Amino acid sequence: MRAQGQLLKPEEFANIVVRLNPDGSTVRLGDIARIELGALTYTQLARYNGKPAAILGVFQTPGSNALTVAEGVRARWKI
């Protein structure tokens, strides 16, 4: 088996097999997701009240209420 060491193009990520169906067909990542290339690195340093902290990305789902989402995040993480 040979595998490329690193995927570089969106099309390469889109071809990743997520599921093999009983009928022999496949579901690929590109069938169920939008594939985009982001930044080369996501190196971040976070501090909260001067102490090291974790960064958490929160994305609003379509149709949700932004204020409700924000309140839920604050309640869950007590911020």
Side-chain angles (χ1 to χ4, degrees), residues 8-69:
L8 302 173
K9 300 176 185 172
E11 299 81 26
E12 295 170 330
F13 287 95
N15 281 327
I16 294 173
V17 175
V18 176
R19 181 180 71 212
L20 294 173
N21 294 318
D23 65 1
S25 64
T26 59
V27 176
R28 299 183 185 276
L29 191 56
D31 298 331
I32 58 172
R34 181 182 66 222
I35 311 297
E36 299 175 349
L37 292 182
L40 184 58
T41 65
Y42 289 96
T43 304
Q44 300 288 326
L45 176 64
R47 294 198 175 274
Y48 183 71
N49 289 334
K51 296 180 182 176
I55 297 173
L56 177 68
V58 177
F59 299 90
Q60 183 181 348
T61 56
S64 65
N65 180 294
L67 295 176
T68 303
V69 172

